[in-house]
Amino acid sequence: MTTKGDAIKVSILKALQDAEEPIGASRIAEKLYSMGLSVRPRTVRFYLLQLDNEGLTHRVSRRRGRTLTEKGKEELAHANVLDKIGFIAAKVDTLGYRMNFNLRKGEGTIIANVGVINKRDLGRAFLAMGPVFEAKLAMSDRMFLAEGGEKIGSLVIRQNMVCIATVCSVTLNGILLSERIPVVSRFGGLLEIRNGQPARFVELIEYGGTTVDPLEAFIRAGMTRTTECALSGNGIVGASFREVPSAALDAVMRIHKMMTQRGLGGMLAIGKPNRPLMDIPVADGRAGIVVIGGLNAMAAIHEAGIDVELRSLACLADYSLFRPLPEVVAMAHNRRIFRR
Amino acid sequence: MTTKGDAIKVSILKALQDAEEPIGASRIAEKLYSMGLSVRPRTVRFYLLQLDNEGLTHRVSRRRGRTLTEKGKEELAHANVLDKIGFIAAKVDTLGYRMNFNLRKGEGTIIANVGVINKRDLGRAFLAMGPVFEAKLAMSDRMFLAEGGEKIGSLVIRQNMVCIATVCSVTLNGILLSERIPVVSRFGGLLEIRNGQPARFVELIEYGGTTVDPLEAFIRAGMTRTTECALSGNGIVGASFREVPSAALDAVMRIHKMMTQRGLGGMLAIGKPNRPLMDIPVADGRAGIVVIGGLNAMAAIHEAGIDVELRSLACLADYSLFRPLPEVVAMAHNRRIFRR
DNA sequence: TGATAAAACGGCAAACATGCCGTATTCAGT
DNA sequence: ACTGAATACGGCATGTTTGCCGTTTTATCA
């Protein structure tokens, strides 16, 4: 069966394409894992050797690793269409890699989710979001607003609409990555909260096997109870399950603290090396973490019966644009975007 | 890494547990594949040998295959919790195996999806479903109705509610299985229809990686355009992608014809051996088929703004209960469940 | 500048997965 | 009862994947 090896080769090419600089087998193996393909670095080297011979990859230097050759890029262009359908996992990885936030300084770009609503609903939307932020059910208690006519990412906002942006939970992947901690996103799901504590996942969708953001689907399907959770401490909210290398756990804890100081939260639970977390087992040498959904504030808006057009993983945005809710409310008022 | 082999062993035990009678390595391999684990029959035999030695399985006879021993069942009880979370793929398999429909006679049990709505919405629901059936966007143009107080499967219907049941697309798996054709369900998704022809999948969720029925999620999320599609030939409907052995393609075509005669449709497209279908590649020795969503009639109800509680893969039901829409409407009218 | 550490490579061999094939068992039909 | 077809098993050989480890290259820091 030549098929299996070929699949690995194609994936290696893909991993190399995503990287802008030469990378080695270990890094490639990591990328493959986050694409749902478990292979050891040695195996990657084994196939890289063949790819070199076929002229699809090129060994830049013994230390720096490989790059794609022109021929390799071409080859990839012909490859499997399904791979291009754009499973969410790939998008998550790419954005996490492209963002650029300096945790120590608290500045730089982060990843944003956006929701577009009608201007007239803005007041009610603010009311819905408040409790979610207060209950720390979002990545951050900051957000920002864009008005009709403005442009955010590639999205142009229509007249009479406003766009609300919140911090996406994938931002966490980017922050950890900048500390050289690779994060693998495994599931998006619905997390049951009891007495303010995460209890268990009630539904799961694997990131590797979906083209839609699971949390977005759950929210649109009306399966969340975010507001209820924010007010009473019991409910169902969006959350995701990710894995980090066990060796990096200390660093993760440390970063968690720093993030909290910067107004960024989001890690609901951190597991122990090789131990299941919330009944979900992890790969060898890894530990699980449960991350709150960045869309939860939008979920509350949706639950309030307001028509909201969701777009998760929307774009990169500068963190300085994001302000605490009261400030945003005041600003909206001054600019007469809405009246109380 | 002892982990990998162990995972295979556990899965083999699970496959044996699902089967009520002794089965051999090939059948086990098939079950594993539909659980998302690709292993050859020989490999299964390789591990069965070990399991025999460990006393977890027992070789009934050279011809009949293996069963679980008591010790094996116990072992399984301790195994991995995630495996029990109940990914949809497992449920699909089990139901397909348990149903029992004789295609030649046109009688026996099939798998039903149900939707529960308020009695007062019934008239509007009928209106919404009509075009869907006519445009052949459902598995069958038959359905049945249960009133408040009645019981369907384990679901008791509340007063003032009515329950609408339609034929679930997993019924197809069961029918093919009874002809000894194993079907593997790969993706549930949203299929774009152009000029009455399936054009491409716009979203996909892998069955192996989700605990929710993808189509149910898409419908609840309001991502379908079923009615529009039924009326104009252009729209977005629920559909799923499955695989059958290439060798069985002729039989599949034949069965497709027979099903059509029985008022059962559902196969929108049948691929060629080893060739991608709708841009989705298939495993070696298999061919893809696109199957219409059994929930599409419910989708139309939802799109009409009627509050409907969906439950896919709800239960087994006798096909004789299912009647064409006009007949059901007339009956509902006679029984004064609703008035025009 | 020189030492040290990090990251990558690939040879070699072991472990794992699977193809090929001859043999055993059972069912169904004559 | 006998025969042919179907199905399952496991020995042996081959192909894949991976661990172990010594070597090479280069960034970094004293």
Side-chain angles (χ1 to χ4, degrees), chain B residues 1-21:
Chain B
M1 183 174 57
T2 172
T3 324
K4 180 74 171 295
D6 280 357
I8 297 181
K9 285 201 214 175
V10 170
S11 302
I12 290 177
L13 293 182
K14 241 185 303 173
L16 279 172
Q17 188 177 45
D18 289 349
E20 281 123 42
E21 33 172 33

Side-chain angles (χ1 to χ4, degrees), chain A residues 48-297:
Chain A
L48 277 172
L49 219 48
Q50 295 180 26
L51 289 168
D52 278 352
N53 290 335
E54 293 166 27
L56 303 179
T57 57
H58 168 66
R59 204 183 68 180
V60 176
S61 87
R62 184 123 192 200
R63 163 71 193 266
R64 318 227 343 251
R66 309 291 217 290
T67 51
L68 276 190
T69 61
E70 280 310 313
K71 195 172 163 194
K73 288 180 195 168
E74 252 175 66
E75 179 70 19
L76 200 49
H78 296 306
N80 201 324
V81 189
L82 183 58
D83 297 329
K84 296 184 203 157
I85 292 188
F87 281 96
I88 281 287
K91 197 172 176 188
V92 164
D93 260 30
T94 310
L95 278 175
Y97 179 75
R98 292 220 325 244
M99 71 165 247
N100 150 32
F101 179 74
N102 186 319
L103 189 51
R104 265 156 273 271
K105 295 190 191 163
E107 52 185 50
T109 56
I110 53 99
I111 302 170
N113 293 318
V114 310
V116 180
I117 61 174
N118 194 299
K119 216 171 180 175
R120 73 176 134 72
D121 294 325
L122 188 57
R124 284 165 61 219
F126 283 146
L127 286 179
M129 295 171 86
V132 178
F133 288 138
E134 264 167 47
K136 302 211 175 303
L137 290 177
M139 274 296 289
S140 152
D141 56 1
R142 302 188 177 203
M143 50 168 293
F144 91 97
L145 219 58
E147 288 180 73
E150 288 186 73
K151 206 175 147 188
I152 174 165
S154 61
L155 176 75
V156 180
I157 302 151
R158 282 151 295 165
Q159 285 307 321
N160 289 319
M161 305 299 271
V162 284
C163 162
I164 297 170
T166 56
V167 178
C168 177
S169 70
V170 171
T171 299
L172 176 66
N173 292 26
I175 291 177
L176 289 175
L177 188 60
S178 69
E179 302 282 329
R180 297 246 211 55
I181 303 173
V183 183
V184 176
S185 297
R186 290 237 287 147
F187 299 102
L190 291 177
L191 181 68
E192 182 177 342
I193 305 271
R194 276 203 288 259
N195 301 319
Q197 293 301 313
R200 60 181 185 129
F201 277 100
V202 291
E203 299 289 356
L204 291 174
I205 294 181
E206 214 165 338
Y207 276 109
T210 171
T211 60
V212 293
D213 179 339
L215 299 194
E216 194 178 318
F218 288 133
I219 291 170
R220 295 178 60 156
M223 296 170 78
T224 56
R225 296 283 174 278
T226 313
T227 298
E228 182 182 331
C229 181
L231 296 177
S232 76
N234 294 289
I236 309 263
V237 302
S240 68
F241 188 89
R242 307 180 194 182
E243 288 180 8
V244 294
S246 303
L249 268 181
D250 287 344
V252 170
M253 309 272 200
R254 195 166 35 76
I255 292 168
H256 181 204
K257 281 207 188 106
M258 290 184 62
M259 285 178 63
T260 310
Q261 288 166 9
R262 288 289 170 204
L264 290 166
M267 278 190 251
L268 287 183
I270 301 181
K272 303 206 182 314
N274 285 326
R275 314 292 298 179
L277 175 61
M278 307 257 136
D279 289 343
I280 298 176
V282 295
D284 221 44
R286 299 187 175 253
I289 55 179
V290 176
V291 182
I292 196 77
L295 280 171
N296 284 348

Side-chain angles (χ1 to χ4, degrees), chain B residues 84-124:
Chain B
K84 297 183 201 157
I85 291 188
F87 282 98
I88 280 287
K91 197 172 176 188
V92 164
D93 260 30
T94 310
L95 279 175
Y97 178 76
R98 291 222 324 243
M99 72 165 248
N100 149 33
F101 179 74
N102 185 317
L103 189 52
R104 266 157 271 272
K105 294 190 190 163
E107 51 186 51
T109 56
I110 53 99
I111 302 170
N113 293 319
V114 310
V116 180
I117 61 174
N118 194 301
K119 216 170 180 178
R120 74 176 132 71
D121 294 326
L122 188 58
R124 284 165 62 218

